[in-house]
Amino acid sequence: MSGFSIEWLQLREAADRAARDTQLLNKALHWLPENARIVDLGSGTGSTLRALQAHSSKSYRWRLLDIDSQLLAEARRRHAHELPLETLEIDLQQVENLPLQDASLLTASALFDLVSQDFVDRLSARLLTQRSGFYAALNYNGLMHWDPAHPLDAAVTTAFNQDQQRDKGFGPALGPAASDALHRALDRQAYQVDVADSPWRLGPSEEALARELFKGIAAAVTATLGSSTVQTWLDFRLAHAADGHCLVGHQDILALPLNPAY
Ligand SMILES: C[S@@+](CC[C@H](N)C(=O)[O-])C[C@H]1O[C@@H](n2cnc3c(N)ncnc32)[C@H](O)[C@@H]1O
């Protein structure tokens, strides 16, 4: 178990799908040949697979890697009958042992803000050596805007961004610095790198997701701001969950080798 439930991943999937930058997504798909091997890191139940296959008439060979066997079982339940699909329960920290050697494209979503600089360095070294493409969507970038505003919003965002740097199993997490770290690691002569904003824009029709998000943020900042301050903010946010709006900033990054291995 990784702490990411099937229910939470399901709840956020529509917002993630709407947020992905379609230009980058289509550029990746246009670049990929039919039957290409895609390895999805931290796949959960397969949201990246669903997002890419929904935009493409080509079929790909998928390998999903995750530490959580329940999430992988759910991915198999949904897709093993319709697509070439392998799943592997593995800790991504074992970068040198990850089965990436035949991958045309490595993908990930909502993963890289959890990882460390060391992980990015070790993974990008493998990627650059084998000249695979790389597409990582929905990396949180530290921006949150709320409507209606509350006087505690700035303090909550600052405390949340600090909490995002807590170790999530990979060493000190990059949190909001993830996209810049990936850009620096991959912006080499032999790669073309594109970055695009992919914010969640949550309004009344995403009320259920917004409510869970607000509770998650409140839990993350309570140790820093104190429970009564945070409860004031949370009560206000929940009272406006059905009529308010919020923006949560993310970025997508696509790095394509000019001279691919396939
Ligand atoms: C925020 S979820 C994103 C899941 C999926 N990509 C999506 O967008 O729905 C992060 C995923 O990373 C996986 N994960 C976290 N730490 C991991 C590790 N050390 N090794 C492998 N997977 C890990 C979790 O199990 C979870 O599925």
Side-chain angles (χ1 to χ4, degrees), residues 212-224:
E212 289 309 305
L213 173 70
F214 300 156
K215 290 184 213 164
I217 293 171
V221 302
T222 294
T224 311

Side-chain angles (χ1 to χ4, degrees), residues 150 152 227-237:
H150 186 278
L152 287 167
S227 53
S228 75
T229 301
V230 172
Q231 195 60 50
T232 305
W233 178 84
L234 180 59
D235 288 345
F236 179 84
R237 284 284 150 241

